[in-house]
């Protein structure tokens, strides 16, 4: 494994935001994430930052733990596998990226992490906006602010002048690409992100090989922004581990994804939410773009490649591209609803799994989070109602636990 970033060795005298792990038994409906299991009258017990018991009935009598009869649904914490914590949804992301001082970016990230906790998001895969993710992760892990678990790419890597160069690390040539990867690893990156395309393919073959080789030599995964068939196929050919967004795909490309066990994080939210005038106008989305997004939502043939990929067995993982124009952090339901409408997941249970169990597998954390099982870490949320019947119940989060610590509890009415 790479050497840890320098801040990991700093002595922290005060944990300003950390809380002690709860000793509690939660009672209610339990979506365990183990197969299709749902325990209608069950319990989940937390102790020492871990899940110590899951089962039917009240459980835990006489063990000294506090007991909370939730009357709702207990489930694994949600994972947003594609987000940008320092973006706040304005239309001109380039202007924001170029003009926001690092200090205001830090405040925005802190506010957006709080929004995530309130929405039951216990892990965020931050895919870059300058170096903001590095500082957000340091702040959370050193107890400066409360936040979800963070998986960061530090700076996304782009060819000089490439797609979204204004918020990424630019590089040219294989040696510069290796240096760019090493710099992100040194900063504490959990993964490396590359911008493989916009309208055209980006990076030379030598550059791509250098990026993927250097990333894998560091023991990290590499993910690629890839939105059309040639880019997706090329990503798989060069050994990229995951694909962001996805798009049109040939049967040959889908076969490559299946053979390589390469998941796709679909990110429908920008199109879906920008198609809603009452929301989009608040974020200064121009009228022509609202109409364009409405046509894109209505054109279901546009999503045929993703649908065929899902049916072929490609793992589909939940991500919202939070922070993109009009896409607020903590907004979960529109993405899941559209995933079901398009058909890349079968139903509400599968949509929830894409943000819990499937996300944990994709992020190589399924031994720790993603399902409610004894021994796993206590990333657990409680929501009112039953999201299996109505996904909008996910908007009624009552409690959010990260590593067994209650980091959000909705105030009593």
């Amino acid at each position: 494994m790479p050497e840890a970033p320098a801040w990991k060795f700093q002595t922290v005298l005060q944990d300003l935001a950390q809380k002690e792990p709860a000793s509690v038994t939660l009672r209610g409906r339990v979506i365990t994430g183990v197969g299709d299991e749902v325990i209608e009258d069950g319990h989940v017990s937390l102790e020492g930052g871990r899940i110590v018991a899951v089962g039917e009935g009240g459980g835990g009598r006489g063990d000294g733990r506090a007991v909370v009869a939730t009357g709702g649904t207990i489930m694994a914490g949600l994972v947003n596998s594609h987000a940008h914590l320092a973006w706040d949804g304005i239309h001109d992301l380039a202007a924001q990226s170029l003009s926001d001082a690092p200090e205001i970016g830090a405040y925005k990230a802190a506010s957006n992490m709080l929004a995530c906790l309130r929405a039951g998001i216990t892990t965020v895969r931050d895919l870059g906006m300058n170096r903001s993710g590095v500082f957000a992760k340091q702040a959370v892990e050193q107890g400066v602010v409360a936040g979800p678990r963070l998986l960061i790419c530090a700076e996304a890597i782009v060819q000089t002048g490439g797609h979204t160069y204004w918020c990424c690390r630019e590089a040219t040539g294989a040696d510069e690409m290796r240096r760019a990867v090493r710099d992100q690893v040194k900063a504490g990156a959990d993964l490396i992100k590359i911008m493989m395309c916009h309208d055209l393919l980006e990076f030379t073959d030598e550059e791509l090989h250098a990026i993927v080789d250097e990333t894998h030599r560091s023991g990290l995964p590499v993910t690629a922004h890839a939105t059309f068939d040639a880019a997706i196929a090329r990503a798989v050919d060069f050994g990229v581990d995951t694909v962001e967004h996805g798009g049109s795909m040939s049967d040959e490309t889908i076969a490559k994804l299946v053979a390589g066990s390469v998941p796709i994080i679909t990110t429908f939210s920008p199109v879906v939410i920008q198609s809603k005038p009452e929301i989009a106008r608040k974020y200064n989305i121009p009228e022509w773009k609202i109409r364009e997004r409405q046509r894109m939502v209505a054109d279901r043939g546009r999503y045929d490649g993703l649908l065929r990929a899902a049916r072929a067995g490609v793992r589909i993982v939940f991500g919202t591209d939070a922070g993109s124009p009009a896409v607020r952090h903590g907004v979960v339901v529109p993405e899941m609803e559209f995933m079901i409408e398009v058909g890349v997941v079968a139903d509400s249970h599968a949509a929830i799994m894409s943000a819990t169990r499937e996300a944990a597998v994709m992020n190589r954390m399924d031994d720790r989070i993603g399902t409610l099982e004894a021994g796993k870490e206590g990333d657990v949320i409680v929501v009112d109602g039953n999201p299996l019947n109505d996904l909008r119940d996910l908007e009624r989060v009552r409690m959010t636990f990260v590593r067994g610590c209650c980091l959000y509890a909705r105030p009593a009415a």
Side-chain angles (χ1 to χ4, degrees):
M1 291 297 292
E3 185 81 12
W7 60 263
K8 289 273 191 178
F9 301 98
Q10 293 176 354
T11 300
V12 179
L13 299 179
Q14 297 185 77
D15 284 345
L16 301 178
Q18 297 290 6
K19 295 185 178 182
E20 291 296 317
S23 176
V24 65
T25 292
L26 305 168
R27 295 178 178 173
R29 178 184 302 102
V30 181
I31 302 174
T32 68
V34 179
D36 295 329
E37 182 182 43
V38 179
I39 306 172
E40 287 297 333
D41 178 17
H43 70 275
V44 177
S45 296
L46 302 176
E47 187 76 48
R50 293 189 174 274
I51 300 169
V52 295
V54 179
E56 295 184 353
R61 290 182 176 86
D63 59 15
R65 297 187 190 95
V67 177
V68 178
T70 70
T73 299
I74 307 159
M75 51 187 282
L78 303 174
V79 179
N80 190 344
S81 289
H82 191 123
H84 304 274
L85 284 170
W87 279 345
D88 58 11
I90 69 169
H91 180 246
D92 194 342
L93 295 179
Q96 182 176 39
S97 300
L98 291 167
S99 63
D100 269 8
E103 293 84 355
I104 195 64
Y107 279 111
K108 287 179 179 180
S111 177
N112 289 329
M113 287 191 291
L114 178 58
C116 291
L117 293 176
R118 290 173 173 170
I121 297 170
T122 56
T123 300
V124 173
R125 191 165 168 259
D126 183 89
L127 294 188
M129 198 295 280
N130 299 326
R131 300 182 67 239
S132 56
V134 174
F135 304 113
K137 183 160 186 170
Q138 179 179 352
V140 170
E141 294 201 5
Q142 291 187 334
V144 178
V145 296
R149 297 171 184 266
L150 296 184
L151 301 173
I152 64 168
C153 73
E155 293 174 288
I157 298 172
V158 62
Q159 72 175 36
T160 301
H163 183 45
T164 66
Y165 69 89
W166 28 263
C167 66
C168 298
R169 168 63 180 272
E170 294 179 275
T172 294
D175 288 345
E176 283 191 18
M177 295 297 171
R178 287 189 185 274
R179 177 60 185 264
V181 170
R182 291 178 183 181
D183 283 346
Q184 308 324 306
V185 173
K186 180 181 177 181
D190 301 290
L191 69 154
I192 298 299
K193 181 190 178 187
I194 59 175
M195 309 300 288
M196 280 201 64
C197 67
H198 186 42
D199 296 330
L200 301 173
L201 296 174
E202 301 190 1
F203 299 111
T204 66
D205 288 357
E206 292 76 15
E207 289 171 336
L208 274 178
H209 172 75
I211 291 168
V212 175
D213 177 67
E214 195 63 42
T215 302
H216 288 167
R217 287 178 67 251
S218 297
L220 300 182
V222 57
T223 195
H225 168 107
T227 57
F228 55 85
D229 184 64
I232 297 166
R234 191 168 183 238
V236 179
D237 288 343
F238 276 85
V240 163
D241 298 284
T242 57
V243 168
E244 307 297 326
H245 310 298
S248 60
M249 281 176 277
S250 66
D251 290 341
E252 181 182 7
T253 296
I254 291 171
K256 290 180 179 182
L257 290 164
V258 172
S261 299
V262 178
I264 297 176
I265 302 91
T266 49
T267 66
F268 295 121
S269 290
V271 170
V272 172
I273 295 174
Q274 290 169 26
S275 74
K276 302 178 185 296
E278 68 279 9
I279 298 175
R281 288 171 184 148
K282 294 178 182 178
Y283 292 87
N284 297 321
I285 307 297
E287 294 299 317
W288 67 263
K289 181 167 281 189
I290 295 173
R291 292 191 296 271
E292 175 189 76
R293 296 312 198 208
Q294 289 172 338
R295 290 192 294 270
M296 292 169 70
V297 167
D299 179 12
R300 295 306 165 84
R302 177 183 179 85
Y303 310 103
D304 178 66
L306 290 168
L307 176 58
R308 289 185 293 107
R311 288 176 174 172
V314 174
R315 176 173 281 113
I316 302 297
V317 178
F318 172 88
T320 67
D321 214 351
S324 293
V327 184
R328 292 186 295 114
H329 292 268
V331 175
V332 169
V333 173
E335 181 76 30
M336 290 190 180
E337 288 180 334
F338 200 71
M339 293 171 82
I340 296 169
E341 288 180 30
V342 169
V344 297
V345 296
D347 52 26
S348 295
H349 186 274
I352 292 169
M353 291 304 102
S354 76
T356 52
R357 182 180 66 208
E358 300 303 311
V361 171
M362 188 270 287
N363 286 305
R364 305 178 182 183
M365 300 177 71
D366 51 307
D367 60 332
R368 299 163 60 193
I369 64 171
T371 58
L372 300 185
E373 299 177 86
K376 289 200 172 181
E377 297 182 23
D379 287 18
V380 179
I381 65 173
V382 178
V383 303
D384 291 335
N386 183 358
L388 296 177
N389 293 337
D390 187 348
L391 279 173
R392 286 172 292 182
D393 286 343
L394 290 176
E395 297 173 344
R396 301 195 290 153
V397 173
R398 186 184 301 182
M399 304 175 78
T400 300
F401 296 84
V402 180
R403 297 183 177 90
C405 299
C406 186
L407 298 187
Y408 171 70
R410 190 179 65 216

